[in-house]
Amino acid sequence: MNDLQDHPEDKAASTKRTTRNIVLVSVVFAAAMLIASVTIVDKSTSQTVILLLVALWLVPFLYLARARNQSSNRR
């Protein structure tokens, strides 16, 4: 049996931890986008870098969102 099925408080903690990680990843990528937009002078290059950061941000965000949804569905 899965340990998370035995302890409901562990499921809640896991969901909160995953949510915290989603927020942390989002804040880090937002900061990276702000830094890129301020430091890169060329507008076209800046937009390209920001779009690449958004695409890169989607990978951990979707992974963590899926993990959060799976842990909350086990409740």
Side-chain angles (χ1 to χ4, degrees):
M1 236 189 183
N2 191 349
D3 288 337
L4 290 178
Q5 292 173 347
D6 297 335
H7 304 288
E9 62 275 357
D10 289 344
K11 288 189 276 187
S14 176
T15 302
K16 287 180 183 179
R17 189 173 32 253
T18 306
T19 301
R20 185 191 70 224
N21 288 341
I22 289 172
V23 171
L24 181 65
V25 166
S26 297
V27 168
V28 168
F29 274 96
M33 285 184 253
L34 283 172
I35 291 169
S37 68
V38 169
T39 58
I40 299 173
V41 178
D42 184 34
K43 184 178 179 180
S44 176
T45 305
S46 176
Q47 286 178 342
T48 302
V49 169
I50 290 172
L51 287 174
L52 287 173
L53 284 170
V54 169
L56 185 62
W57 166 79
L58 276 172
V59 174
F61 175 79
L62 292 175
Y63 175 79
L64 290 169
R66 182 176 180 202
R68 182 183 61 186
N69 288 340
Q70 286 177 348
S71 68
S72 66
N73 287 339
R74 290 183 198 151
R75 288 184 183 181

